[in-house]
């Protein structure tokens, strides 16, 4: 009972300090079949508002699509919110009247579903929040599955991947996925609401790995991890060969014997199914702080070979443990990279039985990278009691209108976020100009 009481106190404090990306990030379902009770001043439907709005190009696409029938399938009294780019925004995005006329109906359907969400998203509610309000669009990405939260049809195994928008208000401006899309222009409707935006929303098409590779600023970050993984797999394979009489394949080693390692592709791409016919979570959505090549130069690593040489100090500890029947050990830079890509969970505490609290939502666009995030529970809940919750290991602050961050307690200089909100299928990438070294990390 004491643990239960402490748990709710912890949750209450966390909510007060930071309303958090968890409040809507994990697909809390909106009630269907009910009218919005607090919009008594609304006299028109969403479609009627669109007709008279400065989003005429969007409305023409709306009329040519099947969106009305798609919404009807949600129920006769469905409540929904539309985020419609105005005509200038549509034209900038290449969606002129002639382009819309030439688009197949299927593409128009996808476009309309991308900008539409079930449930109310009112201006007043957004203004009360210090975080982003996650809305799940109607647009589904076939073949992608995320961690289970609300999909009963999957037998509690996974949720379908719907494109998401993280909506916030800063002063008089509306933010979508961290980007300013113009002044808040909201109109309540009898069946939901309409936002008219001055900029279109870019639909993510790349995974994190694809975005990093295409960018060109992160060659040292990517290649040093690839080489470390290659050495790790080869070392474990060499240890297994005399035990088994043959060397298992790389995929078998990673899946069955060295599965605790955070491989560089893990959570950065669409994962290969565990076995044929398997359907389950195959993509992770979180946040990455990607260090540039210059960030490595600042730390004294001028080439990839320098990083490989530095990692050699950890090679002797990498081995296959006969007692635990799993691979153990790692490289020094594994610790550093873990803070960039996995919130330093390498240091997450475990209960005496080895249990750890479960991952909380960690999708943070630039507008919520603030000191309030420093108390956010990165991991909480599950089997262990509340004292095993894992609080944000990074310390965020603001300097000259820029976000800076460091590992808590670290004596190393803080990193500055120099580029923000590179949106991917896996979530946002924020670019940093320094490596995130933990306290006591030895470079020499």
């Amino acid at each position: 009972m004491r643990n239960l009481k402490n748990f709710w106190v912890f949750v209450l404090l966390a909510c007060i300090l930071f309303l958090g990306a968890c409040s809507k990030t994990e697909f809390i379902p909106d009630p269907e079949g009910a009218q919005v009770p607090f919009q008594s001043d609304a006299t028109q439907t969403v479609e009627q508002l669109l007709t008279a709005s400065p989003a005429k190009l969007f409305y023409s696409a709306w009329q040519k699509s099947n969106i009305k029938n798609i919404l009807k399938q949600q129920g006769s009294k469905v409540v929904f919110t539309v985020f419609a780019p105005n005509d200038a925004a549509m034209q900038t995005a290449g969606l002129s009247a002639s382009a819309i006329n030439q688009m197949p109906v299927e593409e128009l359907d996808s476009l309309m579903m991308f900008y539409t969400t079930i449930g109310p998203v009112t201006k007043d509610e957004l203004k009360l929040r210090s975080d982003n309000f996650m809305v799940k669009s109607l647009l589904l990405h076939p073949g992608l599955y995320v961690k289970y939260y609300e999909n009963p049809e999957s037998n509690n195994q996974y949720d379908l991947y719907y494109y998401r928008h993280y909506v916030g208000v800063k002063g008089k401006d509306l933010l979508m996925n961290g980007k300013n899309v113009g002044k808040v222009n909201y109109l309540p409707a009898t069946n939901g609401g309409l936002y008219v935006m001055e900029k279109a929303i870019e639909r993510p098409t790349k995974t994190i790995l694809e975005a990093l590779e295409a960018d060109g600023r992160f060659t040292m970050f990517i290649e040093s991890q690839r080489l470390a993984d290659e050495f790790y797999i080869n070392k474990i394979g060499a240890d297994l060969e005399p035990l088994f009489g043959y060397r298992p394949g790389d995929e078998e080693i990673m899946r069955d014997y060295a599965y605790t390692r955070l491989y560089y592709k893990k959570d950065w791409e669409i994962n290969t199914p565990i076995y044929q016919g398997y359907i389950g979570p195959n993509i992770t959505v979180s946040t990455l702080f990607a260090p540039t090549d210059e960030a490595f130069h600042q730390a004294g690593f001028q080439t990839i070979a320098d990083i490989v040489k530095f990692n050699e100090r950890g090679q002797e500890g990498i081995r296959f443990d006969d007692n635990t029947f799993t691979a153990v050990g790692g490289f020094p830079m594994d610790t550093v990279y873990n803070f960039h890509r996995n919130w330093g969970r390498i240091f997450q505490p475990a209960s005496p039985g080895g249990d750890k609290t479960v991952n909380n939502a960690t999708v943070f666009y630039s507008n919520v990278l603030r000191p309030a995030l420093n108390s956010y529970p990165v991991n909480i809940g599950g089997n262990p009691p509340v004292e095993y919750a894992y609080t944000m290991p990074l310390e965020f602050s603001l300097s000259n209108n820029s976000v800076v961050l460091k590992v808590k307690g670290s004596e190393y200089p803080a990193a500055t976020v120099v580029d923000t909100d590179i949106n991917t299928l896996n979530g946002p990438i924020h670019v940093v100009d320094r490596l995130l070294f933990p306290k006591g990390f030895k470079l020499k």
Side-chain angles (χ1 to χ4, degrees), residues 281-358:
N282 61 358
I283 188 169
T284 300
V285 184
S286 187
T287 306
L288 171 67
F289 297 98
T292 62
D293 291 347
E294 180 58 29
F296 285 89
H297 300 163
Q298 292 278 354
F301 301 105
Q302 300 307 315
T303 66
I304 295 170
D306 291 339
I307 306 173
V308 173
K309 183 174 179 58
F310 180 77
N311 271 335
E312 288 177 356
R313 66 177 68 180
Q315 290 182 4
E316 292 185 1
I318 297 171
R319 60 185 176 83
F320 182 76
D321 189 325
D322 295 349
N323 294 320
T324 61
F325 216 71
T326 187
V328 297
F331 300 101
M333 292 302 288
D334 291 347
T335 302
V336 179
Y337 295 156
N338 200 270
F339 285 102
H340 282 271
R341 57 180 300 177
N342 196 38
W343 309 98
R345 287 189 174 110
I346 196 171
F347 295 113
Q348 181 187 350
S351 70
D355 289 334
K356 295 183 178 182
T357 49
V358 298

Side-chain angles (χ1 to χ4, degrees), residues 237-277:
D239 287 355
L240 289 172
E241 189 167 1
L243 293 175
F244 294 174
Y246 72 97
R247 183 197 184 280
D250 290 356
E251 291 296 326
E252 184 181 353
I253 291 172
M254 295 167 64
R255 183 188 66 234
D256 298 334
Y257 308 110
Y259 47 83
T260 59
R261 178 171 177 79
L262 183 61
Y263 294 97
Y264 89 101
K265 289 185 177 182
K266 188 178 186 300
D267 300 339
W268 281 8
E269 62 176 6
I270 300 168
N271 300 323
T272 304
I274 299 173
Y275 51 83
Q276 188 174 4

Side-chain angles (χ1 to χ4, degrees), residues 157-204:
Q157 297 299 311
Y158 61 85
D159 280 1
L160 301 175
Y161 185 107
Y162 287 89
Y163 289 89
R164 319 167 183 192
H165 306 306
Y166 293 78
V167 191
V169 169
K170 183 178 180 181
K172 296 182 179 181
D173 296 324
L174 180 67
L175 306 179
M176 299 289 286
N177 305 325
K179 302 293 187 184
N180 190 321
V181 293
K183 301 299 181 186
V184 180
N185 184 358
Y186 172 73
L187 299 170
T190 56
N191 59 344
L194 170 66
Y195 288 88
V196 179
M197 304 183 300
E198 298 171 26
K199 294 181 181 178
I201 310 170
E202 186 175 352
R203 188 192 308 179

